[in-house]
Amino acid sequence: MREKLLWGIVIFLAIYMFIPWLITRIWGIGVFKRGKVRREIAFTFDDGPDPIYTPQLLDMLEKHNVKATFFVLGSKAEQYPQIIKRIHEEGHQIGIHNYVHASNWLMTPWAVKNKQIKRSADIVESITGTRPSYYRPPWGILNLWGFFLKFEYHLVFWSVMAYDWRSQVDKNKMKNNLLHSITDGSVILLHDSGDTFGAVRDAPHYMLQALDDVLEEVKLRNFQCVRIDEMIHYLERNTPVQLILSRPKQLLIFSWMLWEQLFIKIFHIVAIDRDNPLLKVRIREYTGNQIITMEDGEQIRKGDRVVELHFDNRILFQLSIDAPNQMHLAIQIIRKTEQLMPQINKLIQNDPLFHDVKGLYGISLIHRGTKKLGFSVIDLPKGAFSFLTQCYLRLLLYVLHPQGKKRLQSKPELLVPKIIAISKKELMNRYILSETNL
């Protein structure tokens, strides 16, 4: 009985604490850690406001004409409202960092939401008139229920950490660390207070010395310093059509995307092109009993190595939002896929990992127009696998398409998953590499 209780506690702690930490801190799933715009970076400051160091920091940011994001503690905002007011009036963004600097692991979900985040947001709103909607948990630690905060707050982590709370990190070491680490889209974590647990009280003094030089250098490198809300809403600013989704649909989409990112990590699925990540691939043995015979006569049999194709569903979702109709969406997908085919051919010819593959293979509801790209479109054999695949892909359509329910009801007979495949031979003949691509 004691052993079962012990295992129960271990499992609970793993689910409540460790797995959310692994998903967010290590894999960065479900949280914002990095921007997507070249030469754009964001400086963020935690644990303040501090009566000594925050005003000095604000003076420095004004000197360099830089806007930043402050994740403040509600208790300190309550204590120093004039500093909060100054942060807001000078055009910086204010986010929440809990009411006190305590770990979310040691609190219930209700305590985190109401006593830490909501209470802090109420305080900031009463001072500035603007309610914060961005949240960074202390130490970057979320419990299991922290994921549901995503529907009220943007969860913001970081991609560059200067370890500026330590006494042994002097000005030069910190400066070199930052300048070496900062790159396109970096979200930089710094602290304008040193009185939280584990920090050195005068650590912000050395941070400010280093930051002065760093801000000068990033300006010379043509980096633009932006607030987190400006960075995180880049795609929204460039999206012509915005759809208002219900909370249940938002939850469903978020859960699906979370699962998909885990799947990609676990099975080592990689994008063909980081700048056009619509198609992702992995190399695997074909395990089906059905012999796939393509139009050029080539066959894929059980045990053959194939390049398995996967669409990036985040991009499909964005494309479906932007597309005025289904035809336009299909054209966009085909065009983006066509742009990637020569790169896949290049991989197959030049990468040793791909040398013995028989061809490209996938199962999809999106198969209209693929014959123009050289793919053979083949029916799935009737049976349990075909039925389950159809259920899965229809569920995927419902989740990811803004009008998925309507689409399922209007023409369900057309929503039949099929195998799409192209042999290595056909791929090489159709997408001949030029000398510049070799």
Side-chain angles (χ1 to χ4, degrees):
M1 179 65 72
R2 179 179 292 180
E3 186 175 346
K4 288 183 179 180
L5 178 62
L6 181 61
W7 272 111
I9 293 172
V10 170
I11 293 171
F12 170 78
L13 292 177
I15 295 173
Y16 191 73
M17 298 180 178
F18 179 71
I19 292 177
W21 175 83
L22 184 70
I23 290 172
T24 55
R25 282 289 299 275
I26 304 302
W27 292 339
I29 297 174
V31 298
F32 181 79
K33 295 181 66 174
R34 176 182 289 276
K36 297 183 181 297
V37 182
R38 293 189 69 250
R39 317 316 289 171
E40 188 175 271
I41 59 177
F43 284 94
T44 66
F45 300 92
D46 289 5
D47 300 355
D50 184 274
I52 298 174
Y53 297 115
T54 305
Q56 294 179 30
L57 172 59
L58 290 170
D59 290 342
M60 182 180 297
L61 294 175
E62 184 178 15
K63 181 180 89 170
H64 291 281
N65 193 28
V66 166
K67 302 303 178 188
T69 301
F70 291 77
F71 291 97
V72 304
L73 295 172
S75 57
K76 290 188 174 183
E78 200 171 37
Q79 191 175 0
Y80 306 110
Q82 288 304 316
I83 301 178
I84 292 294
K85 192 173 182 181
R86 181 183 170 187
I87 294 172
H88 176 71
E89 289 178 347
E90 293 186 2
H92 303 289
Q93 182 189 2
I94 299 176
I96 299 302
H97 197 49
N98 277 2
Y99 182 77
V100 295
H101 203 282
S103 170
N104 288 1
W105 280 356
L106 305 178
M107 292 181 280
T108 65
W110 301 274
V112 172
K113 181 178 179 180
N114 296 318
K115 294 183 179 180
Q116 297 294 328
I117 303 175
K118 183 181 181 299
R119 184 180 180 185
S120 299
D122 289 344
I123 292 168
V124 172
E125 185 178 21
S126 69
I127 298 169
T128 66
T130 300
R131 190 169 188 82
S133 59
Y134 292 75
Y135 174 60
R136 174 181 283 163
W139 295 294
I141 291 175
L142 286 173
N143 58 38
L144 178 63
W145 297 105
F147 289 113
F148 293 95
L149 293 169
K150 189 175 179 67
F151 302 107
E152 294 184 59
Y153 299 90
H154 293 278
L155 305 180
V156 181
F157 280 45
W158 58 88
S159 60
V160 175
M161 182 164 55
Y163 302 96
D164 57 325
W165 63 87
R166 298 176 178 176
S167 59
Q168 64 267 36
V169 180
D170 60 18
K171 168 191 170 181
N172 291 327
K173 189 180 294 186
M174 195 182 310
K175 172 186 171 181
N176 293 334
N177 180 26
L178 284 171
L179 292 177
H180 177 74
S181 303
I182 289 174
T183 184
D184 296 335
S186 289
V187 175
I188 302 114
L189 168 63
L190 295 168
H191 301 79
D192 56 328
S193 176
D195 59 2
T196 53
F197 178 77
V200 176
R201 184 66 188 90
D202 61 349
H205 170 74
Y206 301 101
M207 182 276 291
L208 289 170
Q209 288 184 333
L211 182 62
D212 199 21
D213 291 343
V214 169
L215 290 176
E216 195 65 47
E217 180 64 28
V218 296
K219 189 187 304 180
L220 294 174
R221 295 185 185 181
N222 295 319
F223 280 109
Q224 181 182 4
C225 301
V226 300
R227 299 168 19 147
I228 286 293
D229 57 346
E230 295 173 322
M231 179 178 276
I232 206 169
H233 286 307
Y234 169 77
L235 289 177
E236 292 181 16
R237 296 199 306 269
N238 290 274
T239 300
V241 179
Q242 291 300 307
L243 298 178
I244 300 175
L245 301 175
S246 66
R247 283 294 174 87
K249 188 67 178 282
Q250 289 181 43
L251 178 60
L252 199 55
I253 291 170
F254 171 70
S255 302
W256 197 286
M257 294 299 187
L258 187 64
W259 151 247
E260 181 172 287
Q261 289 184 64
L262 280 171
F263 182 86
I264 287 169
K265 294 283 185 181
I266 292 169
F267 292 100
H268 306 291
I269 299 170
V270 297
I272 294 295
D273 183 348
R274 289 185 179 181
D275 294 327
N276 178 12
L278 174 66
L279 268 184
K280 292 180 166 61
V281 299
R282 68 164 173 157
I283 302 172
R284 61 180 288 260
E285 285 189 2
Y286 173 62
T287 56
N289 292 319
Q290 177 187 10
I291 297 174
I292 299 173
T293 303
M294 290 160 282
E295 291 186 2
D296 63 352
E298 294 289 306
Q299 293 183 328
I300 296 175
R301 298 173 176 267
K302 186 174 184 178
D304 288 340
R305 279 164 54 84
V306 294
V307 179
E308 186 178 73
L309 301 174
H310 296 265
F311 282 112
D312 187 307
N313 286 317
R314 285 182 181 274
I315 296 178
L316 289 181
F317 178 67
Q318 191 64 48
L319 288 174
S320 66
I321 289 176
D322 294 344
N325 53 56
Q326 293 297 316
M327 180 62 71
H328 187 272
L329 174 61
I331 291 171
Q332 286 288 95
I333 293 171
I334 292 298
R335 282 179 178 173
K336 286 183 175 291
T337 303
E338 188 174 21
Q339 292 169 4
L340 291 167
M341 296 301 287
Q343 295 186 53
I344 299 175
N345 186 26
K346 182 180 177 181
L347 271 178
I348 285 181
Q349 292 198 41
N350 298 328
D351 193 323
L353 294 175
F354 290 77
H355 80 280
D356 60 346
V357 300
K358 294 295 292 289
L360 312 184
Y361 160 87
I363 300 175
S364 178
L365 290 173
I366 306 170
H367 44 72
R368 294 175 65 185
T370 54
K371 287 188 176 182
K372 295 180 181 179
L373 304 181
F375 283 91
S376 299
V377 180
I378 302 158
D379 291 335
L380 280 168
K382 293 183 178 180
F385 177 75
S386 176
F387 174 76
L388 292 174
T389 301
Q390 183 165 339
C391 291
Y392 171 80
L393 292 176
R394 287 188 176 190
L395 177 60
L396 181 63
L397 176 66
Y398 170 77
V399 171
L400 295 180
H401 197 290
Q403 297 179 321
K405 184 177 181 180
K406 183 178 178 181
R407 180 86 172 102
L408 287 171
Q409 292 173 341
S410 62
K411 296 181 180 179
E413 70 280 359
L414 298 179
L415 300 177
V416 178
K418 293 181 182 289
I419 296 170
I420 57 172
I422 181 172
S423 69
K424 181 177 180 179
K425 177 182 175 182
E426 177 65 22
L427 184 71
M428 293 173 66
N429 288 337
R430 183 176 287 260
Y431 301 97
I432 300 171
L433 292 175
S434 65
E435 291 184 4
T436 57
N437 288 332
L438 290 173

